[in-house]
């Protein structure tokens, strides 16, 4: 095996200037803790005056309440400790939530109860590079005009239409030359926050969808996929490759020719649970792996559904995850689906896991589930 060396970490800060109709959930504060001039007139997110800090300020205006509060703190030292810990952490952050009535217009509404979307897949339009498409795990398929900064929701995950059930876990996407979008829904049962449940159940809950921009229609291209994860388009847009997370394989779906609409297995028995698939500079494909199968833990439970259910329901997932070795690995497949090269970080020092690979020839950019940076590997 080839070590991932030399590698270096690159801090990755994801920032896209929001349209004027959007609001930022948080903003930086100066070191002295006072709000900066840009925050003076900025509206706060969520409900105000309902937190512990607001109550304390209100009580401070009434000496009787302040005295009662101090007496309570003396009686229960845990309350004082908790308040100090909260003060050290600073004000609680509120989040942005997309509400159903705002989804079609692409506007953001502010809520203290929801949370932001989860962009898992990015893809530029093949010939119009000012258009960036996003696979948002919780909200659906978005289109961003980089010139005007306009965000358009193409597929509403909550109301996809055409009799299709809500999309639970939108994962990855590709855009063809005619503007058609193919994307995966990893599971129709478990969402982004329950990916461990999907891995443990390992049932054919995944789907592949086709969105046509010409008429706005959405159709199911494939069903019965085992954790439909990454998707990649083949040469001349002849076929698509879809990574099946819980089957450690890659499935090929034909778009053109006599096999159009049919599927076959492109690669199987892979050494880990595959995530994204991207083109390699040598005519093949790179596959990233979130976890490996090297110690046999996952394989041992594969044929024992009762054991998988027991592990998940008994809250033993932390123990199982601890047994999965930290081993960063990416694998290159040739045009026929055979493994021709693999790069490793055996101890997971820099690459603890890999989600995707961008092949720039003699340099690779490697994403990860856990690391707050992108790894740059120069061969």
């Amino acid at each position: 095996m080839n070590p991932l060396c030399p590698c270096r970490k690159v801090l990755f800060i994801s920032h896209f200037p929001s349209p004027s109709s959007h609001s930022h959930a948080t903003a930086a504060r100066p070191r002295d803790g006072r709000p900066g001039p840009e925050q003076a007139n900025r509206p706060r997110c969520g409900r105000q005056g309902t937190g512990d800090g607001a109550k304390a300020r209100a009580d401070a205006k009434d000496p009787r309440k302040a005295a009662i509060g101090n007496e309570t703190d003396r009686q229960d030292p845990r309350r004082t400790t908790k308040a100090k810990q909260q003060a050290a952490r600073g004000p609680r952050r509120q989040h942005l939530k997309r509400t159903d009535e705002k989804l079609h217009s692409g506007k953001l509404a502010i809520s203290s109860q929801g949370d932001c979307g989860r962009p898992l897949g990015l893809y530029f339009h093949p010939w119009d590079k000012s258009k960036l498409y996003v696979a948002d795990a919780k909200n659906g398929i978005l289109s961003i005009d980089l010139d005007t900064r306009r965000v358009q929701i193409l597929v509403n995950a909550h109301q996809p239409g055409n009799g299709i059930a809500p999309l639970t876990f939108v994962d990855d996407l590709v855009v063809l030359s005619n503007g058609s979008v193919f994307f995966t829904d990893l599971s129709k049962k478990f969402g982004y926050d329950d990916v461990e449940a999907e891995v443990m159940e390992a049932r054919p809950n995944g789907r592949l969808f086709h969105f046509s921009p010409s008429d706005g229609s959405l159709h199911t291209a494939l069903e019965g996929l085992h954790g439909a994860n990454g998707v990649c388009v083949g040469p001349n847009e002849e076929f698509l490759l879809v990574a099946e997370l819980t089957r450690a394989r890659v499935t090929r779906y034909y778009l053109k020719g006599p096999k159009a609409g049919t599927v076959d297995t492109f690669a199987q028995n892979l050494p880990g649970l595959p995530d994204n698939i991207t083109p390699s500079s040598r005519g093949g494909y790179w596959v990233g792996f979130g976890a490996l199968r090297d110690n046999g833990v996952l394989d041992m439970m594969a044929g024992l559904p009762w054991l998988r259910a027991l592990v998940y329901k008994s809250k033993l997932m932390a123990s199982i995850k601890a047994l999965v070795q930290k081993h960063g690995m990416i694998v290159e497949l040739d045009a026929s689906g055979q493994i021709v090269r693999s790069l490793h970080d055996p101890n997971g020092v820099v690459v603890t896991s890999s989600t995707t690979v961008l092949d720039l020839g003699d340099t690779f950019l490697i994403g990860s589930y856990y690391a707050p940076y992108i790894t740059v590997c120069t061969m």
Side-chain angles (χ1 to χ4, degrees):
M1 65 184 179
N2 299 323
L4 280 174
C5 181
C7 292
R8 64 185 186 274
K9 303 176 183 178
V10 175
L11 179 64
F12 181 67
I13 302 176
S14 178
H15 173 73
F16 183 79
S18 301
S20 57
S21 60
H22 292 191
S23 299
H24 290 286
T26 61
R29 287 178 176 270
R31 292 184 181 273
D32 60 5
R34 294 175 298 178
E38 71 282 358
Q39 291 182 287
N41 299 319
R42 177 172 294 172
R44 297 181 179 271
C45 297
R47 299 186 298 271
Q48 298 300 316
T50 59
D52 295 339
K55 183 177 183 299
R57 290 191 298 272
D59 291 346
K61 297 179 180 180
D62 190 335
R64 293 173 300 175
K65 292 184 178 180
I68 294 173
N70 293 336
E71 180 64 26
T72 304
D73 291 341
R74 286 194 294 270
Q75 293 175 359
D76 187 358
R78 292 175 298 177
R79 180 175 178 178
T80 304
T81 302
K82 184 177 180 180
K84 290 180 179 179
Q85 292 175 347
Q86 178 62 35
R89 287 195 295 266
R92 295 180 180 178
R93 292 186 177 184
Q94 303 295 332
H95 300 280
L96 294 177
K97 177 185 179 182
R98 288 185 180 272
T99 58
D100 291 341
E101 64 271 14
K102 296 293 185 180
L103 280 171
H104 292 288
S105 64
K107 295 182 180 179
L108 287 173
I110 298 173
S111 170
S112 61
Q113 300 299 318
D115 60 1
C116 302
R118 296 294 184 270
L120 300 184
L122 302 174
Y123 206 95
F124 280 101
H125 192 285
W127 47 267
D128 185 357
K129 300 305 180 183
S130 67
K131 290 185 178 179
L132 177 65
Y133 294 80
V134 180
D136 186 319
K138 298 190 174 186
N139 293 321
I141 302 299
L142 317 178
S143 172
I144 302 176
D145 190 314
L146 300 181
D147 292 333
T148 64
R149 303 178 182 178
R150 180 174 181 268
V151 179
Q152 180 183 5
I153 296 182
L154 303 179
V155 179
N156 182 342
H158 309 287
Q159 299 174 347
N162 199 24
I164 297 174
L167 309 177
T168 309
F169 197 155
V170 178
D171 191 278
D172 197 18
L173 79 166
V174 294
V175 183
L176 303 186
S177 57
N178 63 358
S180 295
V181 180
F182 282 87
F183 66 94
T184 55
D185 185 27
L186 192 143
S187 173
K188 62 183 179 182
K189 184 175 181 180
F190 300 104
Y192 173 86
D193 299 315
D194 297 318
V195 63
E196 293 175 352
E198 175 64 25
V199 172
M200 286 292 101
E201 182 169 293
R203 289 183 178 273
N205 296 324
R207 298 173 289 178
L208 175 70
F209 289 98
H210 173 217
F211 171 75
S212 176
S214 59
D215 57 5
S217 61
L218 180 67
H219 301 281
T220 304
L222 279 180
E223 289 186 296
L225 297 170
H226 290 78
N229 214 334
V231 59
C232 182
V233 62
N236 302 318
E237 300 181 347
E238 181 180 351
F239 57 81
L240 298 177
L241 298 179
V242 181
E244 293 191 74
L245 177 72
T246 57
R247 279 295 180 267
R249 71 185 177 195
V250 176
T251 294
R252 176 166 46 191
Y253 173 69
Y254 289 93
L255 299 175
K256 298 179 180 179
K259 295 183 179 181
T262 64
V263 299
D264 61 17
T265 299
F266 182 75
Q268 60 184 341
N269 198 25
L270 294 172
L273 306 184
D275 196 331
N276 288 330
I277 310 175
T278 53
S280 78
S281 58
R282 306 196 302 181
Y285 307 91
W286 284 105
V287 182
F289 295 91
L292 302 192
R293 300 164 55 200
D294 52 355
N295 59 9
V297 175
L298 297 175
D299 287 2
M300 177 192 68
M301 296 190 296
L304 302 172
W306 64 269
L307 178 59
R308 299 198 305 271
L310 176 64
V311 168
Y312 184 75
K313 293 180 180 179
S314 60
K315 308 301 181 181
L316 293 176
M317 282 302 301
S319 301
I320 296 298
K321 290 170 67 175
L323 293 176
V324 178
Q325 182 181 359
K326 288 186 177 180
H327 185 141
M329 180 181 68
I330 58 176
V331 163
E332 184 181 11
L333 307 176
D334 64 14
S336 63
Q338 300 299 312
I339 296 178
V340 293
R341 182 166 49 156
S342 63
L343 304 178
H344 299 251
D345 183 352
N347 298 317
V349 176
V350 177
V351 182
T352 56
S353 69
S354 59
T355 56
T356 191
V357 183
L358 179 59
D359 187 343
L360 302 178
D362 58 353
T363 302
F364 304 105
L365 305 182
I366 304 170
S368 169
Y369 281 113
Y370 311 108
Y373 54 81
I374 289 178
T375 302
V376 178
C377 178
T378 303
M379 301 298 294

